[in-house]
Amino acid sequence: VKEAGRDFTYFIVVLVGLGVTGGLFYVIFKELFSSSSPSKIYGDALEKCRSHPEIIGVFGESIKGYGEATRRGRRQLVSHIEYIKDGLKYMRLRFYIEGSETGKRGTVHVEVKENPEKGRFEVRYIFVDVETYPRRTIVIEDNR
């Protein structure tokens, strides 16, 4: 009886460990590969910026994107906010880009809207505020 109780305890511990591991894999998969995650939307918006001819003309060929700076100086946090309007989910993102042209930086603003029929987000707008004098805004996509 004593040995059976110990075996049952080990079985429960293994089951809890498998459950926690499965939960972690689910969260990681959802964040990295889901079409509705902020990192996926950021990646798609950055690719649209990299392929837009006017953006390439202003910033140069090698365009890199980054988020807000952390206390350690790392720039990896993409600022985003989710909200619900008229029963649909919306998400706004803000990140920064710079290219091979020295001194040229820009702030990218993205808004996506949930499409209930397709079950994923669709881009409403992407525009880039170029931080030069005079200020200028480049509209990449406007599907409002």
Side-chain angles (χ1 to χ4, degrees), residues 59 62-66 75 96-100 104-106:
F59 293 99
S62 61
I63 295 172
K64 62 181 180 176
Y66 53 91
R75 300 182 293 188
Y96 307 98
I97 59 173
E98 58 185 38
S100 57
K104 300 276 178 115
R105 293 185 187 162

Side-chain angles (χ1 to χ4, degrees), residues 15-29:
L15 279 180
V16 169
L18 287 173
V20 169
T21 303
L24 286 173
F25 278 127
Y26 172 76
V27 169
I28 290 171
F29 181 80

